[in-house]
Amino acid sequence: MSMISCDMRYGRSDEQKRALSAGLLRVISEATGEPAGNIFFVIREGRGINFVSTGNICPNSPKAMPTTKS
């Protein structure tokens, strides 16, 4: 069984999420030969504070946590 994992910000309608999943399932099925019914699709929604824009922290998001050396 194949799995598709999709992370996105809150705010998409159920219709938009269904269209996204249907399109991705179709393309993955065509590319791999795996029947769409055997592909598990997961959408995780979040506030977006961990999303970045071209390598920079997005505006209005908390500053990145400092990294520690191991």
Side-chain angles (χ1 to χ4, degrees):
M1 175 169 290
S2 300
M3 184 174 122
I4 300 171
S5 178
C6 180
D7 295 308
M8 66 175 62
R9 290 183 180 193
Y10 289 120
R12 305 302 193 293
S13 69
D14 287 345
E15 183 177 303
Q16 289 172 311
K17 290 182 271 189
R18 276 192 287 276
L20 173 66
S21 61
L24 287 173
L25 287 169
R26 181 182 51 77
V27 169
I28 297 298
S29 179
E30 289 173 4
T32 65
E34 182 82 28
N38 289 350
I39 302 171
F40 189 67
F41 190 87
V42 177
I43 295 176
R44 288 185 303 257
E45 295 178 279
R47 295 182 301 144
I49 62 171
N50 294 324
F51 288 81
V52 294
S53 173
T54 59
N56 298 312
I57 298 171
C58 293
N60 303 321
S61 66
K63 292 187 184 277
M65 297 286 292
T67 58
T68 57
K69 294 183 179 181
S70 308

